[in-house]
Amino acid sequence: MKGVFWNSRGLADLAKHRFLADLVKEEQINFIALSETGRDDFPDHILKNLCAGRDFLWHCMAPHSRSGGILLGVDLNVFDIGAIAEGDFFVKFTLRCKSDGFKFVLYTVYGPAQYQNKEAFLVELANTCSKESLPYLIGGDFNIMRKPEDKSSGVFDPKWPNLFNAVIESLELKEIVMSGRHYTWAGAGDNPTFEKLDRVFVSTDWEDKFPLSTVQSRDRDISDHTPLVLN
């Protein structure tokens, strides 16, 4: 199973369309999970371009005011769709692999950058995932670090990382180790701060099915966030 999680910071730049289409063709991508899209809908021709003309089913979640927005698409030649649901900070698909009948839940999240909304995000994450009966995969921009090493410089505030790690532990999630770049976001300026904000987690029963899964970061030349490719 192969997919990409990416905070694309909008999709107005045609270079981002070409990047995704090339990635789908080169890596045989089965799903595309984008956050901070900044739109509440996309024309069919754009969606077709993003997946290199493949038969994808898409669901778009509108942004909150001027920020956010999620777009999740899956290859209908690979998956059957069982259900689609939204939360305040996530979109999820219940899927069945056509090749072997394996059923699982695919989440993509966009965690809020605003401190006043982080508690609501973590509560929703814990409540929703704790109710899952199927194996699940969850990735995206969580907008929270886990440890001081996730920031290249500056002050590290442990409040939200501690709560985030507590949620991860309570759900018994396994973070898939990322190869390539260590940080997934770069600030602006000549001497930017780098942080690791984007991640992929799996439940224990999902890991049992795909124990050799890897995540590779890609160059961020077209965005200040690094795309993560799940293999």
Side-chain angles (χ1 to χ4, degrees), residues 104-143:
F104 71 102
V105 178
L106 170 63
Y107 281 88
T108 185
V109 304
Y110 177 59
Q114 304 85 0
Y115 284 99
Q116 66 270 23
N117 295 328
K118 290 187 183 295
E119 182 176 357
F121 167 62
L122 292 175
V123 168
E124 180 180 72
L125 181 67
N127 288 343
T128 302
C129 292
S130 64
K131 297 173 184 175
E132 291 295 352
S133 59
L134 291 173
Y136 61 94
L137 164 71
I138 178 167
D141 180 5
F142 291 83
N143 254 316

mmCIF file of all heavy atoms in Angstrom, residues 104-143:
data_model
loop_
_atom_site.group_PDB
_atom_site.id
_atom_site.type_symbol
_atom_site.label_atom_id
_atom_site.label_comp_id
_atom_site.label_asym_id
_atom_site.label_seq_id
_atom_site.Cartn_x
_atom_site.Cartn_y
_atom_site.Cartn_z
ATOM 1 N N PHE A 104 -9.823 -1.553 6.732
ATOM 2 C CA PHE A 104 -9.131 -0.657 7.649
ATOM 3 C C PHE A 104 -9.705 0.752 7.499
ATOM 4 O O PHE A 104 -10.538 1.022 6.628
ATOM 5 C CB PHE A 104 -7.620 -0.656 7.389
ATOM 6 C CG PHE A 104 -7.209 0.029 6.112
ATOM 7 C CD1 PHE A 104 -6.680 1.314 6.133
ATOM 8 C CD2 PHE A 104 -7.344 -0.601 4.887
ATOM 9 C CE1 PHE A 104 -6.289 1.954 4.962
ATOM 10 C CE2 PHE A 104 -6.971 0.022 3.709
ATOM 11 C CZ PHE A 104 -6.438 1.303 3.746
ATOM 12 N N VAL A 105 -9.251 1.638 8.371
ATOM 13 C CA VAL A 105 -9.689 3.033 8.340
ATOM 14 C C VAL A 105 -8.487 3.919 8.057
ATOM 15 O O VAL A 105 -7.428 3.773 8.686
ATOM 16 C CB VAL A 105 -10.352 3.443 9.671
ATOM 17 C CG1 VAL A 105 -10.768 4.914 9.637
ATOM 18 C CG2 VAL A 105 -11.569 2.563 9.960
ATOM 19 N N LEU A 106 -8.652 4.824 7.110
ATOM 20 C CA LEU A 106 -7.615 5.777 6.739
ATOM 21 C C LEU A 106 -8.023 7.172 7.215
ATOM 22 O O LEU A 106 -9.073 7.681 6.834
ATOM 23 C CB LEU A 106 -7.425 5.786 5.219
ATOM 24 C CG LEU A 106 -6.553 6.891 4.628
ATOM 25 C CD1 LEU A 106 -5.116 6.786 5.134
ATOM 26 C CD2 LEU A 106 -6.593 6.843 3.100
ATOM 27 N N TYR A 107 -7.199 7.751 8.078
ATOM 28 C CA TYR A 107 -7.425 9.113 8.565
ATOM 29 C C TYR A 107 -6.386 10.053 7.974
ATOM 30 O O TYR A 107 -5.205 9.684 7.868
ATOM 31 C CB TYR A 107 -7.206 9.195 10.087
ATOM 32 C CG TYR A 107 -8.284 8.706 10.995
ATOM 33 C CD1 TYR A 107 -8.332 7.366 11.384
ATOM 34 C CD2 TYR A 107 -9.223 9.578 11.531
ATOM 35 C CE1 TYR A 107 -9.288 6.917 12.277
ATOM 36 C CE2 TYR A 107 -10.187 9.135 12.430
ATOM 37 C CZ TYR A 107 -10.206 7.812 12.800
ATOM 38 O OH TYR A 107 -11.148 7.367 13.689
ATOM 39 N N THR A 108 -6.785 11.269 7.669
ATOM 40 C CA THR A 108 -5.826 12.344 7.491
ATOM 41 C C THR A 108 -6.258 13.508 8.362
ATOM 42 O O THR A 108 -7.460 13.802 8.474
ATOM 43 C CB THR A 108 -5.677 12.769 6.018
ATOM 44 O OG1 THR A 108 -4.635 13.746 5.914
ATOM 45 C CG2 THR A 108 -6.965 13.345 5.461
ATOM 46 N N VAL A 109 -5.294 14.142 9.023
ATOM 47 C CA VAL A 109 -5.604 15.177 9.999
ATOM 48 C C VAL A 109 -4.901 16.478 9.633
ATOM 49 O O VAL A 109 -3.858 16.488 8.966
ATOM 50 C CB VAL A 109 -5.188 14.777 11.430
ATOM 51 C CG1 VAL A 109 -5.824 13.461 11.832
ATOM 52 C CG2 VAL A 109 -3.674 14.702 11.560
ATOM 53 N N TYR A 110 -5.495 17.571 10.099
ATOM 54 C CA TYR A 110 -4.813 18.859 10.077
ATOM 55 C C TYR A 110 -5.002 19.488 11.445
ATOM 56 O O TYR A 110 -6.071 20.004 11.767
ATOM 57 C CB TYR A 110 -5.356 19.780 8.980
ATOM 58 C CG TYR A 110 -4.688 21.145 9.003
ATOM 59 C CD1 TYR A 110 -3.314 21.246 8.842
ATOM 60 C CD2 TYR A 110 -5.424 22.298 9.210
ATOM 61 C CE1 TYR A 110 -2.685 22.481 8.885
ATOM 62 C CE2 TYR A 110 -4.808 23.535 9.253
ATOM 63 C CZ TYR A 110 -3.437 23.623 9.089
ATOM 64 O OH TYR A 110 -2.815 24.844 9.144
ATOM 65 N N GLY A 111 -3.974 19.401 12.269
ATOM 66 C CA GLY A 111 -4.038 19.960 13.608
ATOM 67 C C GLY A 111 -3.954 21.473 13.569
ATOM 68 O O GLY A 111 -3.235 22.041 12.745
ATOM 69 N N PRO A 112 -4.655 22.156 14.461
ATOM 70 C CA PRO A 112 -4.678 23.616 14.442
ATOM 71 C C PRO A 112 -3.342 24.206 14.893
ATOM 72 O O PRO A 112 -2.690 23.682 15.804
ATOM 73 C CB PRO A 112 -5.787 23.969 15.431
ATOM 74 C CG PRO A 112 -5.832 22.809 16.375
ATOM 75 C CD PRO A 112 -5.498 21.606 15.539
ATOM 76 N N ALA A 113 -2.957 25.291 14.258
ATOM 77 C CA ALA A 113 -1.762 26.009 14.686
ATOM 78 C C ALA A 113 -2.040 26.867 15.914
ATOM 79 O O ALA A 113 -1.133 27.148 16.697
ATOM 80 C CB ALA A 113 -1.246 26.887 13.548
ATOM 81 N N GLN A 114 -3.301 27.269 16.106
ATOM 82 C CA GLN A 114 -3.667 28.142 17.222
ATOM 83 C C GLN A 114 -3.669 27.355 18.532
ATOM 84 O O GLN A 114 -4.287 26.290 18.623
ATOM 85 C CB GLN A 114 -5.051 28.759 16.985
ATOM 86 C CG GLN A 114 -5.193 29.532 15.693
ATOM 87 C CD GLN A 114 -5.534 28.637 14.500
ATOM 88 O OE1 GLN A 114 -5.658 27.418 14.640
ATOM 89 N NE2 GLN A 114 -5.687 29.249 13.340
ATOM 90 N N TYR A 115 -3.000 27.890 19.548
ATOM 91 C CA TYR A 115 -2.900 27.209 20.837
ATOM 92 C C TYR A 115 -4.276 26.953 21.449
ATOM 93 O O TYR A 115 -4.508 25.918 22.078
ATOM 94 C CB TYR A 115 -2.046 28.029 21.809
ATOM 95 C CG TYR A 115 -0.570 27.932 21.522
ATOM 96 C CD1 TYR A 115 0.087 28.933 20.822
ATOM 97 C CD2 TYR A 115 0.161 26.827 21.943
ATOM 98 C CE1 TYR A 115 1.448 28.837 20.555
ATOM 99 C CE2 TYR A 115 1.526 26.724 21.679
ATOM 100 C CZ TYR A 115 2.156 27.744 20.983
ATOM 101 O OH TYR A 115 3.498 27.638 20.718
ATOM 102 N N GLN A 116 -5.201 27.885 21.271
ATOM 103 C CA GLN A 116 -6.507 27.751 21.924
ATOM 104 C C GLN A 116 -7.331 26.599 21.352
ATOM 105 O O GLN A 116 -8.320 26.180 21.954
ATOM 106 C CB GLN A 116 -7.305 29.056 21.825
ATOM 107 C CG GLN A 116 -7.720 29.469 20.419
ATOM 108 C CD GLN A 116 -6.711 30.351 19.720
ATOM 109 O OE1 GLN A 116 -5.522 30.334 20.082
ATOM 110 N NE2 GLN A 116 -7.163 31.146 18.767
ATOM 111 N N ASN A 117 -6.921 26.049 20.193
ATOM 112 C CA ASN A 117 -7.676 24.957 19.570
ATOM 113 C C ASN A 117 -6.995 23.592 19.702
ATOM 114 O O ASN A 117 -7.563 22.580 19.300
ATOM 115 C CB ASN A 117 -7.904 25.259 18.089
ATOM 116 C CG ASN A 117 -8.776 26.474 17.869
ATOM 117 O OD1 ASN A 117 -9.672 26.751 18.678
ATOM 118 N ND2 ASN A 117 -8.532 27.213 16.798
ATOM 119 N N LYS A 118 -5.789 23.562 20.246
ATOM 120 C CA LYS A 118 -5.050 22.301 20.299
ATOM 121 C C LYS A 118 -5.692 21.280 21.243
ATOM 122 O O LYS A 118 -5.684 20.082 20.969
ATOM 123 C CB LYS A 118 -3.593 22.555 20.683
ATOM 124 C CG LYS A 118 -2.795 23.252 19.587
ATOM 125 C CD LYS A 118 -1.334 23.343 19.935
ATOM 126 C CE LYS A 118 -0.560 24.116 18.865
ATOM 127 N NZ LYS A 118 -0.551 23.411 17.561
ATOM 128 N N GLU A 119 -6.246 21.749 22.343
ATOM 129 C CA GLU A 119 -6.889 20.807 23.261
ATOM 130 C C GLU A 119 -8.073 20.124 22.595
ATOM 131 O O GLU A 119 -8.256 18.903 22.719
ATOM 132 C CB GLU A 119 -7.352 21.516 24.531
ATOM 133 C CG GLU A 119 -7.995 20.567 25.542
ATOM 134 C CD GLU A 119 -8.369 21.251 26.840
ATOM 135 O OE1 GLU A 119 -8.090 22.454 27.003
ATOM 136 O OE2 GLU A 119 -8.949 20.564 27.717
ATOM 137 N N ALA A 120 -8.875 20.898 21.867
ATOM 138 C CA ALA A 120 -10.023 20.319 21.165
ATOM 139 C C ALA A 120 -9.570 19.294 20.131
ATOM 140 O O ALA A 120 -10.206 18.242 19.954
ATOM 141 C CB ALA A 120 -10.837 21.425 20.493
ATOM 142 N N PHE A 121 -8.469 19.581 19.463
ATOM 143 C CA PHE A 121 -7.918 18.638 18.482
ATOM 144 C C PHE A 121 -7.511 17.322 19.142
ATOM 145 O O PHE A 121 -7.867 16.236 18.667
ATOM 146 C CB PHE A 121 -6.727 19.280 17.781
ATOM 147 C CG PHE A 121 -5.881 18.328 16.988
ATOM 148 C CD1 PHE A 121 -6.410 17.621 15.916
ATOM 149 C CD2 PHE A 121 -4.541 18.140 17.301
ATOM 150 C CE1 PHE A 121 -5.637 16.738 15.175
ATOM 151 C CE2 PHE A 121 -3.751 17.263 16.576
ATOM 152 C CZ PHE A 121 -4.293 16.559 15.514
ATOM 153 N N LEU A 122 -6.786 17.404 20.246
ATOM 154 C CA LEU A 122 -6.313 16.196 20.921
ATOM 155 C C LEU A 122 -7.468 15.398 21.525
ATOM 156 O O LEU A 122 -7.453 14.164 21.507
ATOM 157 C CB LEU A 122 -5.288 16.556 21.991
ATOM 158 C CG LEU A 122 -3.958 17.096 21.465
ATOM 159 C CD1 LEU A 122 -3.065 17.542 22.618
ATOM 160 C CD2 LEU A 122 -3.238 16.059 20.611
ATOM 161 N N VAL A 123 -8.463 16.093 22.054
ATOM 162 C CA VAL A 123 -9.640 15.404 22.599
ATOM 163 C C VAL A 123 -10.374 14.671 21.488
ATOM 164 O O VAL A 123 -10.781 13.503 21.646
ATOM 165 C CB VAL A 123 -10.569 16.404 23.313
ATOM 166 C CG1 VAL A 123 -11.919 15.753 23.627
ATOM 167 C CG2 VAL A 123 -9.922 16.913 24.597
ATOM 168 N N GLU A 124 -10.564 15.335 20.343
ATOM 169 C CA GLU A 124 -11.246 14.686 19.221
ATOM 170 C C GLU A 124 -10.447 13.481 18.728
ATOM 171 O O GLU A 124 -11.019 12.412 18.455
ATOM 172 C CB GLU A 124 -11.447 15.678 18.077
ATOM 173 C CG GLU A 124 -12.154 15.048 16.878
ATOM 174 C CD GLU A 124 -12.350 16.027 15.740
ATOM 175 O OE1 GLU A 124 -11.347 16.378 15.076
ATOM 176 O OE2 GLU A 124 -13.507 16.430 15.502
ATOM 177 N N LEU A 125 -9.136 13.638 18.640
ATOM 178 C CA LEU A 125 -8.284 12.542 18.187
ATOM 179 C C LEU A 125 -8.411 11.334 19.105
ATOM 180 O O LEU A 125 -8.598 10.198 18.646
ATOM 181 C CB LEU A 125 -6.833 13.027 18.140
ATOM 182 C CG LEU A 125 -5.778 12.034 17.655
ATOM 183 C CD1 LEU A 125 -5.973 11.717 16.179
ATOM 184 C CD2 LEU A 125 -4.382 12.606 17.891
ATOM 185 N N ALA A 126 -8.337 11.570 20.408
ATOM 186 C CA ALA A 126 -8.418 10.473 21.375
ATOM 187 C C ALA A 126 -9.788 9.814 21.352
ATOM 188 O O ALA A 126 -9.897 8.575 21.339
ATOM 189 C CB ALA A 126 -8.103 11.000 22.775
ATOM 190 N N ASN A 127 -10.841 10.617 21.344
ATOM 191 C CA ASN A 127 -12.195 10.073 21.387
ATOM 192 C C ASN A 127 -12.527 9.276 20.132
ATOM 193 O O ASN A 127 -13.136 8.195 20.206
ATOM 194 C CB ASN A 127 -13.216 11.193 21.566
ATOM 195 C CG ASN A 127 -13.207 11.785 22.955
ATOM 196 O OD1 ASN A 127 -12.681 11.186 23.892
ATOM 197 N ND2 ASN A 127 -13.774 12.964 23.111
ATOM 198 N N THR A 128 -12.136 9.797 18.985
ATOM 199 C CA THR A 128 -12.479 9.139 17.721
ATOM 200 C C THR A 128 -11.711 7.836 17.543
ATOM 201 O O THR A 128 -12.294 6.788 17.244
ATOM 202 C CB THR A 128 -12.197 10.086 16.541
ATOM 203 O OG1 THR A 128 -12.946 11.286 16.711
ATOM 204 C CG2 THR A 128 -12.587 9.432 15.229
ATOM 205 N N CYS A 129 -10.406 7.888 17.728
ATOM 206 C CA CYS A 129 -9.583 6.696 17.506
ATOM 207 C C CYS A 129 -9.879 5.593 18.523
ATOM 208 O O CYS A 129 -9.788 4.402 18.200
ATOM 209 C CB CYS A 129 -8.114 7.067 17.538
ATOM 210 S SG CYS A 129 -7.586 8.093 16.150
ATOM 211 N N SER A 130 -10.228 5.973 19.739
ATOM 212 C CA SER A 130 -10.491 4.963 20.771
ATOM 213 C C SER A 130 -11.732 4.135 20.457
ATOM 214 O O SER A 130 -11.905 3.044 21.008
ATOM 215 C CB SER A 130 -10.646 5.636 22.137
ATOM 216 O OG SER A 130 -11.782 6.485 22.167
ATOM 217 N N LYS A 131 -12.592 4.618 19.565
ATOM 218 C CA LYS A 131 -13.814 3.907 19.209
ATOM 219 C C LYS A 131 -13.645 2.993 17.998
ATOM 220 O O LYS A 131 -14.583 2.274 17.631
ATOM 221 C CB LYS A 131 -14.941 4.906 18.947
ATOM 222 C CG LYS A 131 -15.323 5.750 20.167
ATOM 223 C CD LYS A 131 -16.321 6.828 19.801
ATOM 224 C CE LYS A 131 -16.627 7.729 20.992
ATOM 225 N NZ LYS A 131 -17.513 8.869 20.626
ATOM 226 N N GLU A 132 -12.473 3.029 17.365
ATOM 227 C CA GLU A 132 -12.275 2.234 16.156
ATOM 228 C C GLU A 132 -12.190 0.747 16.476
ATOM 229 O O GLU A 132 -11.483 0.339 17.398
ATOM 230 C CB GLU A 132 -10.993 2.667 15.425
ATOM 231 C CG GLU A 132 -11.054 4.038 14.794
ATOM 232 C CD GLU A 132 -12.058 4.155 13.661
ATOM 233 O OE1 GLU A 132 -12.632 3.119 13.247
ATOM 234 O OE2 GLU A 132 -12.284 5.280 13.213
ATOM 235 N N SER A 133 -12.920 -0.043 15.703
ATOM 236 C CA SER A 133 -12.845 -1.501 15.832
ATOM 237 C C SER A 133 -11.982 -2.123 14.741
ATOM 238 O O SER A 133 -11.566 -3.276 14.860
ATOM 239 C CB SER A 133 -14.254 -2.101 15.780
ATOM 240 O OG SER A 133 -14.899 -1.762 14.560
ATOM 241 N N LEU A 134 -11.701 -1.345 13.688
ATOM 242 C CA LEU A 134 -10.872 -1.825 12.588
ATOM 243 C C LEU A 134 -9.449 -1.303 12.740
ATOM 244 O O LEU A 134 -9.208 -0.293 13.408
ATOM 245 C CB LEU A 134 -11.436 -1.335 11.246
ATOM 246 C CG LEU A 134 -12.767 -1.921 10.796
ATOM 247 C CD1 LEU A 134 -13.249 -1.202 9.531
ATOM 248 C CD2 LEU A 134 -12.643 -3.418 10.521
ATOM 249 N N PRO A 135 -8.477 -1.960 12.116
ATOM 250 C CA PRO A 135 -7.129 -1.384 12.049
ATOM 251 C C PRO A 135 -7.190 -0.008 11.403
ATOM 252 O O PRO A 135 -8.037 0.240 10.530
ATOM 253 C CB PRO A 135 -6.369 -2.376 11.162
ATOM 254 C CG PRO A 135 -7.146 -3.644 11.243
ATOM 255 C CD PRO A 135 -8.571 -3.250 11.408
ATOM 256 N N TYR A 136 -6.292 0.885 11.804
ATOM 257 C CA TYR A 136 -6.327 2.212 11.190
ATOM 258 C C TYR A 136 -4.938 2.809 11.039
ATOM 259 O O TYR A 136 -3.990 2.465 11.745
ATOM 260 C CB TYR A 136 -7.249 3.168 11.947
ATOM 261 C CG TYR A 136 -6.897 3.471 13.385
ATOM 262 C CD1 TYR A 136 -6.141 4.582 13.729
ATOM 263 C CD2 TYR A 136 -7.349 2.641 14.411
ATOM 264 C CE1 TYR A 136 -5.848 4.872 15.052
ATOM 265 C CE2 TYR A 136 -7.061 2.920 15.738
ATOM 266 C CZ TYR A 136 -6.309 4.037 16.049
ATOM 267 O OH TYR A 136 -6.017 4.312 17.365
ATOM 268 N N LEU A 137 -4.886 3.704 10.061
ATOM 269 C CA LEU A 137 -3.693 4.450 9.676
ATOM 270 C C LEU A 137 -4.055 5.920 9.760
ATOM 271 O O LEU A 137 -5.103 6.331 9.263
ATOM 272 C CB LEU A 137 -3.316 4.059 8.241
ATOM 273 C CG LEU A 137 -2.345 4.914 7.450
ATOM 274 C CD1 LEU A 137 -0.939 4.768 8.014
ATOM 275 C CD2 LEU A 137 -2.358 4.477 5.979
ATOM 276 N N ILE A 138 -3.205 6.729 10.414
ATOM 277 C CA ILE A 138 -3.532 8.143 10.599
ATOM 278 C C ILE A 138 -2.288 8.986 10.353
ATOM 279 O O ILE A 138 -1.233 8.741 10.936
ATOM 280 C CB ILE A 138 -4.124 8.390 12.000
ATOM 281 C CG1 ILE A 138 -4.427 9.870 12.225
ATOM 282 C CG2 ILE A 138 -3.227 7.845 13.096
ATOM 283 C CD1 ILE A 138 -5.286 10.115 13.451
ATOM 284 N N GLY A 139 -2.399 9.945 9.446
ATOM 285 C CA GLY A 139 -1.249 10.773 9.117
ATOM 286 C C GLY A 139 -1.668 12.169 8.741
ATOM 287 O O GLY A 139 -2.843 12.461 8.507
ATOM 288 N N GLY A 140 -0.694 13.053 8.686
ATOM 289 C CA GLY A 140 -0.949 14.428 8.299
ATOM 290 C C GLY A 140 -0.107 15.402 9.107
ATOM 291 O O GLY A 140 0.909 15.044 9.706
ATOM 292 N N ASP A 141 -0.561 16.643 9.116
ATOM 293 C CA ASP A 141 0.110 17.716 9.849
ATOM 294 C C ASP A 141 -0.563 17.858 11.208
ATOM 295 O O ASP A 141 -1.640 18.432 11.314
ATOM 296 C CB ASP A 141 0.019 19.012 9.049
ATOM 297 C CG ASP A 141 0.689 20.182 9.753
ATOM 298 O OD1 ASP A 141 1.303 19.970 10.820
ATOM 299 O OD2 ASP A 141 0.584 21.317 9.248
ATOM 300 N N PHE A 142 0.081 17.351 12.245
ATOM 301 C CA PHE A 142 -0.488 17.407 13.587
ATOM 302 C C PHE A 142 -0.228 18.754 14.267
ATOM 303 O O PHE A 142 -0.867 19.081 15.268
ATOM 304 C CB PHE A 142 0.092 16.275 14.444
ATOM 305 C CG PHE A 142 -0.374 14.911 14.027
ATOM 306 C CD1 PHE A 142 0.236 14.236 12.985
ATOM 307 C CD2 PHE A 142 -1.446 14.301 14.668
ATOM 308 C CE1 PHE A 142 -0.200 12.981 12.590
ATOM 309 C CE2 PHE A 142 -1.891 13.047 14.287
ATOM 310 C CZ PHE A 142 -1.259 12.382 13.248
ATOM 311 N N ASN A 143 0.705 19.515 13.726
ATOM 312 C CA ASN A 143 1.042 20.838 14.259
ATOM 313 C C ASN A 143 1.445 20.794 15.733
ATOM 314 O O ASN A 143 1.260 21.764 16.472
ATOM 315 C CB ASN A 143 -0.117 21.822 14.067
ATOM 316 C CG ASN A 143 0.179 22.815 12.941
ATOM 317 O OD1 ASN A 143 1.283 23.347 12.843
ATOM 318 N ND2 ASN A 143 -0.807 23.049 12.092
#
